Amino acid sequence: MKSKLTRRTFIKQSSFTLTALALPFPLLKFSKLDPMTAKNTFEIIIIGGSYSGLSAGMTLGRALREVLIIDSGKPCNSQTPHSHNFITQDGKTPNEIATSAKLQVEQYATVKFHNGFATSAQKTPEGFEITTQNNTKFRAKKLIFATGVKDIMLNIKGFSECWGISVIHCPYCHGYEVKHEQTGILANGDIAFHYAQLIINWTKKLTIFTNGKSTLTPQQTEKIKTHNIQIIEKEISALNHKDGHLKDIVFTDQSTFQLKAIYARPAFKQHTDIPEQLGCEFTEQGHIKVDMFQKTTAENVFACGDNASPFRAVSHAVAAGTVAGAMVNNEMTVKEF
């Protein structure tokens, strides 16, 4: 039997339809429209969503700026068990800090996120166009690079597994946890000498491993020996460890040396070559050259965090991100006024 469409039923159904059409959110919900593909133009794009990028994002979100943060979710300190020397966050895991930070930044409605890897950039009349690995394109007037750096692991068995756990780079970040312990320095020349000057404040049980012939000057060698610091020039074949926790160094002659931790400063490279594509200059050490306001040598391009500073600490990255965000907003407000 066919149902009879009464006048009252028709009016009732029509009112529901008109209500649905009048409200934007049911359309978005039921059409499964991805908001990130619906909008691809922003005022500022931040490439990198770790500490400095999130800090810049919060500053700009609080300034009511339309911001996109592009992040691939691969921070360089993901293996580090705990972060230290960051007031209010001391002892938390890097992931805890980053997760909490992102949740807070997400509260600002003008800040959006895109999970992806930025691969290229082009200048446009209005600013820049960024293309991601899946060929998604976004545009903005200004860019902030918070991309960090990628450490190049030494070709020593066990080195990468211990990196950030018992092979450490910064005594301010990790030195307290291994204070007074048997500690090594895996370095040579000026770097080894500087490390020795610094780390002896945390432990007197210190040994330098040059992994080959020493390039320390006679004066440096003499000074080091006055502090009873041994210099071992044997070549290293492996770091013996358990779950990244160092047990001993194994030399090519199969002899060993027990250690709790070892400091090292491996070479690094930028995570992305986009700043170079846009004409940014770099320092002799390989960092993006910035002024005191985190501005690069390329117009409308800023950089903050490890990619632009040799001082690798979470607290410093956060501070640099705040400065970058504030300076970008300042430039825009002055122009708009």
Side-chain angles (χ1 to χ4, degrees):
M1 178 184 291
K2 293 182 179 179
S3 61
K4 186 177 180 180
L5 181 63
T6 65
R7 184 173 181 271
R8 178 176 292 180
T9 304
F10 175 79
I11 292 171
K12 187 177 180 181
Q13 290 178 353
S14 298
S15 66
F16 286 145
T17 303
L18 291 172
T19 301
L21 290 172
L23 297 174
F25 60 84
L27 295 177
L28 288 174
K29 181 177 180 180
F30 294 114
S31 66
K32 298 182 180 179
L33 181 63
D34 182 357
M36 289 312 307
T37 58
K39 178 179 174 61
N40 70 350
T41 301
F42 298 83
E43 292 182 289
I44 305 106
I45 290 177
I46 300 170
I47 302 177
S50 191
Y51 311 109
S52 57
L54 289 170
S55 179
M58 176 176 281
T59 300
L60 288 163
R62 292 183 59 80
L64 308 179
R65 294 295 181 184
E66 291 191 332
V67 181
L68 175 66
I69 299 177
I70 301 174
D71 184 61
S72 60
K74 297 178 180 178
C76 66
N77 65 349
S78 58
Q79 194 166 281
T80 304
H82 298 96
S83 176
H84 292 284
N85 204 29
F86 182 10
I87 199 77
T88 75
Q89 305 296 318
D90 190 55
K92 291 186 178 180
T93 68
N95 185 58
E96 279 183 294
I97 300 171
T99 299
S100 176
K102 185 175 181 182
L103 287 172
Q104 292 177 4
V105 176
E106 286 176 334
Q107 301 306 306
Y108 296 93
T110 58
V111 182
K112 307 299 180 185
F113 290 83
H114 177 76
N115 182 23
F117 186 80
T119 55
S120 65
Q122 286 186 332
K123 293 181 182 179
T124 68
E126 298 78 23
F128 306 93
E129 183 178 78
I130 300 296
T131 303
T132 65
Q133 201 166 34
N134 64 359
N135 206 36
T136 306
K137 298 181 185 296
F138 300 103
R139 294 187 175 189
K141 297 175 183 176
K142 293 183 182 289
L143 297 179
I144 298 176
F145 287 99
T147 43
V149 294
K150 184 176 182 178
D151 296 300
I152 302 170
M153 297 293 99
L154 298 184
N155 189 27
I156 295 174
K157 184 180 178 181
F159 185 93
S160 60
E161 291 84 352
C162 294
W163 178 242
I165 301 172
S166 56
V167 176
I168 52 183
H169 76 286
C170 173
Y172 297 105
C173 300
H174 308 291
Y176 187 85
E177 283 61 48
V178 291
K179 63 184 183 297
H180 311 314
E181 297 284 359
Q182 198 70 246
T183 302
I185 296 170
L186 177 50
N188 212 340
D190 292 339
I191 295 175
F193 185 73
H194 176 67
Y195 258 145
Q197 289 177 309
L198 186 62
I199 297 164
I200 200 169
N201 186 62
W202 279 266
T203 180
K204 303 296 188 289
K205 302 173 184 177
L206 200 55
T207 306
I208 293 175
F209 302 91
T210 59
N211 194 26
K213 185 173 176 59
S214 172
T215 57
L216 291 156
T217 67
Q219 294 80 8
Q220 289 172 333
T221 301
E222 183 179 350
K223 185 68 174 177
I224 286 168
K225 288 183 177 179
T226 63
H227 292 280
N228 297 315
I229 300 172
Q230 187 180 3
I231 300 171
I232 295 178
E233 299 181 66
K234 293 181 181 180
E235 291 188 8
I236 299 169
S237 65
L239 301 182
N240 188 19
H241 67 95
K242 180 176 175 56
D243 298 327
H245 295 279
L246 186 62
K247 290 185 173 182
D248 49 46
I249 287 181
V250 181
F251 300 102
T252 53
D253 64 3
Q254 299 306 306
S255 62
T256 61
F257 194 106
Q258 288 189 341
L259 287 175
K260 180 76 172 183
I262 190 164
Y263 287 86
R265 190 187 298 175
F268 69 88
K269 63 180 181 179
Q270 292 287 330
H271 253 140
T272 175
D273 63 355
I274 299 178
E276 188 177 357
Q277 293 175 25
L278 295 175
C280 293
E281 295 181 17
F282 293 80
T283 67
E284 289 183 7
Q285 292 76 32
H287 298 101
I288 301 172
K289 188 181 290 186
V290 294
D291 63 15
M292 63 184 296
F293 302 121
Q294 305 300 137
K295 190 171 184 177
T296 73
T297 55
E299 188 176 6
N300 295 319
V301 179
F302 290 71
C304 54
D306 293 350
N307 63 3
S309 171
F311 195 77
R312 296 179 64 176
V314 175
S315 56
H316 184 268
V318 170
T322 300
V323 172
M327 291 303 105
V328 166
N329 183 64
N330 183 68
E331 277 197 2
M332 297 180 79
T333 54
V334 169
K335 185 176 181 179
E336 294 162 354
F337 189 74

